[in-house]
Amino acid sequence: MLNEHDPFNAYQQASLDARVAAANPHDMVRMLLEGLLEELERAAGHMERQRYEAKGVSINKCLNIVHGLDSMLDLDNGGEVAGSLNRLYEYCSRQLVSASVENSVQALLPVTQVITDVRAGWANLN
């Protein structure tokens, strides 16, 4: 587990806080997608090592990020793209819960693929 009193952890958090404060909405989504992919890797590692408490924390972080991404969607004005992303995020949420209950790294793979595809599409918007 991370030690919250670790100076390196504090530095990382301060750096992240500064990037978030300076981010425009496009950058914020990119950062959330990157963070989600990193956390999915951590969750898979916890599952493989049978570290169930850490896996639960990691899956909750993933769910929070997915919900954050979903909450940023403008479903009223975003058209078909926003609706499609909303459905993808709902699928990812359900799949994350299922993967956690089953302790299945394999069940995380579709989420990783969806988010990788969304990230690639998002990168093309620049």
Side-chain angles (χ1 to χ4, degrees), residues 73-90:
L73 295 174
D74 182 353
L75 295 174
D76 293 330
N77 302 307
E80 187 178 322
V81 172
S84 293
L85 285 170
N86 175 256
R87 287 187 296 281
L88 283 173
Y89 295 149
E90 287 176 0

Side-chain angles (χ1 to χ4, degrees), residues 7-110:
F8 182 70
N9 187 41
Y11 169 79
Q12 284 184 308
Q13 187 60 48
S15 176
L16 176 62
D17 292 346
R19 285 183 292 165
V20 168
N24 63 42
H26 184 86
D27 289 337
M28 180 68 73
V29 170
R30 184 184 51 73
M31 289 170 54
L32 287 170
L33 292 168
E34 291 292 333
L36 179 53
L37 289 170
E38 290 172 12
E39 200 60 44
L40 284 165
E41 282 185 43
R42 273 192 285 282
H46 295 314
M47 286 177 181
E48 289 169 349
R49 291 171 191 80
Q50 299 181 352
R51 293 167 43 194
Y52 301 119
E53 185 177 338
K55 177 233 19 182
V57 170
S58 220
I59 292 292
N60 279 335
K61 286 180 183 179
C62 290
L63 287 166
N64 286 337
I65 294 170
V66 170
H67 294 150
L69 287 163
D70 191 53
S71 72
M72 294 175 76
L73 295 174
D74 182 353
L75 295 174
D76 293 330
N77 302 307
E80 187 178 322
V81 172
S84 293
L85 285 170
N86 175 256
R87 287 187 296 281
L88 283 173
Y89 295 149
E90 287 176 0
Y91 165 77
C92 287
S93 291
R94 288 190 309 274
Q95 193 67 25
L96 283 165
V97 170
S98 177
S100 183
V101 168
E102 297 169 12
N103 284 308
S104 171
V105 173
Q106 293 290 22
L108 290 177
L109 296 178

